[in-house]
Every structure is written in structure tokens, then in C-alpha cells.
Amino acid sequence: MKKQIAVLPGDGIGPEIVQEAIKILDAIAVKFGHEFTYSYADMGAIAIDKTGEPLPAATLEASLESDAVLFGAIGDPKYDNDPTAKVRPEQGLLAIRKALGLFANIRPVKTFDALLHQSPLKEERVQGTDFVMYRELTGGIYFGEKTLSEDQNTASDLCKYTRAEIERISHMAFTAARKRRNSVTLIDKANVLESSRLWRRVVTELHKSEYHDVELRFLFVDNAAMQMILAPNQFDVILTSNLFGDIISDEGSVIGGSIGLLPSASVGARHALFEPIHGSFPQGAGKGIANPIAMILSAGMMLTHFDMDDEAKAITTAVDLALAQGVCTPEVFPEGNYSTSDVGDFIAKNIA
Ligand code: IPM
Ligand code: MN
């Protein structure tokens, strides 16, 4: 199969980890007889530095023309503490999500047996954790009207959702649950927010009409935050809105012992983008210590999206082997002394 992939390495450790993911994709192409071609483009702080814009038109064009987008990381500390900055790297990511219609952000959280002892939680609590988050990605408070008063002392962000926005991601979550352990948990704040009450009503109606064979549970987001550390293995599919999903997915991401292990997919009706959950880790850039596994597994999710299931499996098997044999970057195995590219080499060799 031929696939055209837009590659956006982005900021911080982005370029280093993307390089390893490409190494793996090239190994897959050789082994399974595919042809992957890559068009590189800038997004984020690097794009601002070069063009003044976080998402240059050429990057958007390359992304729209591709079969999928592979994205590294975004963000640079020089923008973080400057509330007056007119452009921010993160705007690039928000803009590309909107422009490609990537309304569903899919974040699987799975523990690796070899790393249970690394978890900040007790091993017996974490054991068996395997859930997937369906976070709405192009609506809600992220994209609602924003205001700042003339005197700059009053500000607001509108959280708005429509039935159609809720339905399309809910269909995905219910469908995913049927292929897993058949349970969906809707996380909201329906005791306070009108928009959350709409979520509950729409999801309940959809459940009744099309998915009554799937278990449907509800949790308020504050309780969910607590449940996630008390008993993370109770969740199968989590369905939630944009901001709650952002927060809960960071909480979920550390359960397995390292945020450097978790991939994600952002999909819409026509386009898809794959990126690790973690950020740009600027302090670690250029040192060869960045964990490439989340990025490599994101490339694996891209292959699943292409219906290349055996190919995706080859990646997860090789990653499992790396972790089982202690081949990972220092934040996971401090005694190992493996660099970013050592980890990529090991995984690529095992695929070959
Ligand atoms: C994420 C990130 C983004 C978000 C930022 C970088 C805009 O935190 O993908 O979770 O808030 O969605
Ligand atoms: Mn986030």
C-alpha cells in the first residue's frame, strides 16, 4: 500500500522522537512491502520563529493532502509566562484540529507489566488498567467565544456544545466499547453545568436507541478524578468533553509509570493526526534522553487507522519486548543508559 504522511516534528523533543517513529515506519514498509512517503512541515514555536505563524498555510496544505499527519510535540517556555504574547505555539495545534475536523481524540491508557513498579500508585491498584479515553476535541470551552473587557479586568470563555457534536463522538465511543469490555463512562459536571446536562441527555438517548447492549455509567468529573487514582482498572471507555478530557487524560497518563509511553489519535470524518500524549519537554531537547515510545506507538495507531493491523501489532510487540528487556530511556530504566535512538534502533531491529 502507498501512503502519503505529513510529518510535523514541532518543538522541543518533537524532532528527535519523530525521527525514531520514521525509523520504525521505514522498517515496517520494508518488512510488509508498503511505500510510505513523507512531507515535512513546521508547526508550533518553530513555525512562529520562521514565519510568524504557528500553523503556516503550507503546513495546513500538506496536512490536508496527506493520508495522515504524524505530529511530535508543541510548546516553548518562552511563550508560557507571557500572557501578552499575541501568538502562541499551541494555537497551531488547536487550528489544525479545527481545520482538519479532528473531533475525536482517542487516548488509550494501558499499564505495562514490566513497569508496574514505576507507577506512582500501588501496584495492586494499577494492575490490569486498560482504558481508552474519547475526548471531544473541536468544541466546548476551547473553541467557544472568548471575551476580554476593555479595561482587561474581566474575561470569559464560553462552553458550548450541540447535539450533533456530542452524537458523533458518542457513536465512536459506543462502537469502541463493543470491541472492548462493553462499558462506557460519561464524565461530566451535570450537577452544575447546562452543557453537561445536554451531554447526559444526548448520550442517554443514543444509548437507549442504538447501544442498549453497552453498559453506560455516569461520573461527575471531580469524582472521576478521584476514582482514576483509587481504582483506575474500573474504566473501559471514557467519553468526555474537551476540557475535562484534557485534564483527566494527563492524570491517566502517569498511571502506567511514564507519560513517555502513551500515544494518541485525533480523528475526524476525513482526516487523522497521530501524536504522543506528552508535551515538548524543552529541558530534555537535544540530549538524547527523550522516550520515543509514545511517538512510536502513535505511528502504530496510524497504521491501525490504515487498516494495517498486522503492521501495528508488529510495533506493539516490539515495544513490549523492549520494555520487558529493560530497553528504554533513563526515566523508565535509570540503570540502562539507553538513548532515544538506541530505543528506536532496538524496536526497528526487532520489527525487521
Ligand atoms: C493536549 C494539549 C493541548 C490541549 C494543548 C497543547 C493546546 O494539552 O493535546 O492535551 O490542551 O488540548
Ligand atoms: Mn493536555
Side-chain angles (χ1 to χ4, degrees), residues 9-19 72-73 278-287 289-291 340:
D11 303 325
I13 57 169
E16 300 160 53
I17 56 173
V18 160
Q19 195 177 334
H278 61 71
S280 59
F281 187 29
Q283 321 83 287
K287 296 184 181 155
I289 55 170
N291 188 342
T340 307

Side-chain angles (χ1 to χ4, degrees), residues 5-204:
I5 300 160
V7 182
L8 319 181
D11 303 325
I13 57 169
E16 300 160 53
I17 56 173
V18 160
Q19 195 177 334
E20 300 313 309
I22 299 295
K23 195 184 275 179
I24 303 310
L25 288 173
D26 287 343
I28 291 282
V30 170
K31 167 108 181 170
F32 291 86
H34 299 304
E35 195 184 319
F36 299 139
T37 49
Y38 311 107
S39 48
Y40 284 81
D42 292 320
M43 184 165 81
I46 177 138
I48 299 176
D49 290 347
K50 288 190 194 168
T51 71
E53 289 177 56
L55 177 63
T59 302
L60 181 56
E61 200 172 312
S63 304
L64 285 166
E65 283 168 3
S66 68
D67 293 303
V69 181
L70 203 59
F71 165 56
I74 208 159
D76 188 298
K78 72 182 173 205
Y79 298 94
D80 287 349
N81 298 317
D82 178 7
T84 63
K86 287 247 155 28
V87 282
R88 295 172 179 284
E90 289 79 4
Q91 287 165 346
L93 184 55
L94 297 174
I96 202 172
R97 286 174 180 168
K98 199 70 175 175
L100 299 186
L102 309 175
F103 63 82
N105 182 222
I106 305 166
R107 297 185 164 178
V109 172
K110 216 174 155 169
T111 52
F112 293 86
D113 282 343
L115 302 183
L116 281 182
H117 64 282
Q118 294 266 359
S119 175
L121 305 179
K122 293 198 178 81
E123 269 189 62
E124 62 269 23
R125 285 190 187 209
V126 188
Q127 197 122 44
T129 296
D130 176 6
F131 62 85
V132 58
M133 186 107 63
Y134 279 70
R135 165 189 173 195
E136 201 289 328
L137 201 61
T138 51
I141 196 167
Y142 270 59
F143 291 94
E145 189 198 354
K146 296 179 191 300
T147 69
L148 180 61
S149 67
E150 209 135 295
D151 68 3
Q152 313 238 326
N153 289 326
T154 307
S156 69
D157 298 272
L158 179 69
C159 181
K160 184 169 161 182
Y161 269 111
T162 64
R163 170 179 290 272
E165 284 174 323
I166 298 168
E167 279 180 349
R168 62 187 179 180
I169 184 160
S170 301
H171 279 299
M172 278 192 185
F174 281 122
T175 308
R178 280 186 176 151
K179 293 192 203 135
R180 296 174 46 96
R181 301 193 307 281
N182 218 34
S183 172
V184 171
T185 304
L186 175 65
I187 292 179
D188 63 24
K189 190 72 186 172
N191 49 349
V192 177
L193 303 178
E194 200 58 50
S195 52
S196 283
R197 288 193 275 274
L198 179 66
W199 271 83
R200 263 197 203 206
R201 187 147 47 83
V202 170
V203 171
T204 302

Side-chain angles (χ1 to χ4, degrees), residues 1 21 24-25 27-29 31-32 34 36 108 110 112 263 265 274 293-321 347 350-351:
M1 228 188 265
I24 303 310
L25 288 173
I28 291 282
K31 167 108 181 170
F32 291 86
H34 299 304
F36 299 139
K110 216 174 155 169
F112 293 86
F274 301 84
I293 287 184
M295 187 74 237
I296 290 169
L297 291 174
S298 300
M301 287 185 86
M302 180 179 76
L303 298 181
T304 305
H305 176 76
F306 292 155
D307 285 325
M308 298 180 179
D309 290 336
D310 293 341
E311 292 83 338
K313 185 92 186 64
I315 291 184
T316 50
T317 305
V319 165
D320 286 345
L321 189 72
I347 294 169
N350 277 287
I351 287 168

